[in-house]
Amino acid sequence: MSRAHPLSRLIDALRVLPGVGPRTAQRMAYQLLQRQRSGAEQLLAALVHTLDLVTQCSHCNNYSTTPICELCQDESRDPHLLCVVETPTDLLMMEQTLAYQGHYFVLMGHLSPLDGIGSQDIHLPRLVTRIQGSALEEVILATNLTAEGEATAHAIATLLRPLGLRLSRLARGVPVGGELEYIDSGTLAQALRERRQALN
Amino acid sequence: MSRAHPLSRLIDALRVLPGVGPRTAQRMAYQLLQRQRSGAEQLLAALVHTLDLVTQCSHCNNYSTTPICELCQDESRDPHLLCVVETPTDLLMMEQTLAYQGHYFVLMGHLSPLDGIGSQDIHLPRLVTRIQGSALEEVILATNLTAEGEATAHAIATLLRPLGLRLSRLARGVPVGGELEYIDSGTLAQALRERRQALN
């Protein structure tokens, strides 16, 4: 089948979905064409609708159907706190803790020089603009505790340091409910280095 | 088979092994008697030898073949730091981090009032004696971050507070290499509450 053939274009296009390789994409494409024509039309409509309506919030960068998202407009949120996360899913995870009442900034990724993802791609200039002239007092760097997340947090901290606000990072340590016997050495070493006063 | 029968005594005795229920114990007992007579004799000898030679270190409470264990006798260890752990395995985990150079105290368990395990059973009076008149400056409470471990740490902190040394606890937080998306809410909330200054 030539590259230009619409079916091979669809197969290629389906491979943007996570976990979908060439074989699965091919099966999906045939399924959509042969048996699921109406499903394919619904998928098409949903895609058009979503791409049309969902934009990114001009404040926090998260997906939103309004120019400024509901969370950014919510006046009950603490205007002094900003939490920087990698993805919209991470924002949801933070919300589920019920332990955070401030605002967010979603990077939509992490720095990855090898993949050509630099500070522009994770919207760092916009983050600086967001902070300048705001009421913010603390920025919590809540990127993942992976190598890429740590590097991204470090880069952001370096960038924001001149702005003179408090910069903090999620605690590294033993998960709540964790037993020492099943923790990796690196985490245990960190939990030891960053030990806290007892009876706080 | 009556309770007094030696075979049922052996079956009952084998049930002290972790993960061994009545069925497994029965299979083990028959195996030992029918096919593994020599193995059974070796096991017997090893048990006698171990029970005879291995005692507990009078300093740290860990298993030792000498009245004071090698680690407690090692003069290169920092005499100002004491790390309190629940089990000998936890001590090994701490050693594997290569991040700790102080001494230990092994509780051999945790407080569990429902199971009748009180402060005597986890040797707290001996811990106090160990600390009094020593060169110790800090006690690190490295019990598990489970409910029992936390309760035990809290009880020890309350007990030791009058002695006036620094009391610390392992950091609670996101494991090194962890992604927010796969962390439980409780841990993420703790990591947020105990966030640290960035760029340290």
Side-chain angles (χ1 to χ4, degrees), chain A residues 40-58:
Chain A
E41 276 154 24
Q42 280 171 37
L43 178 60
L44 174 67
L47 273 174
V48 169
H49 187 74
T50 306
L51 292 178
D52 196 36
L53 282 188
V54 175
T55 57
Q56 275 171 274
C57 168
S58 62

Side-chain angles (χ1 to χ4, degrees), chain A residues 65-76:
Chain A
T65 52
T66 49
I68 297 177
C69 75
E70 276 183 43
L71 199 149
C72 285
Q73 286 187 57
D74 184 347
E75 292 191 357
S76 71

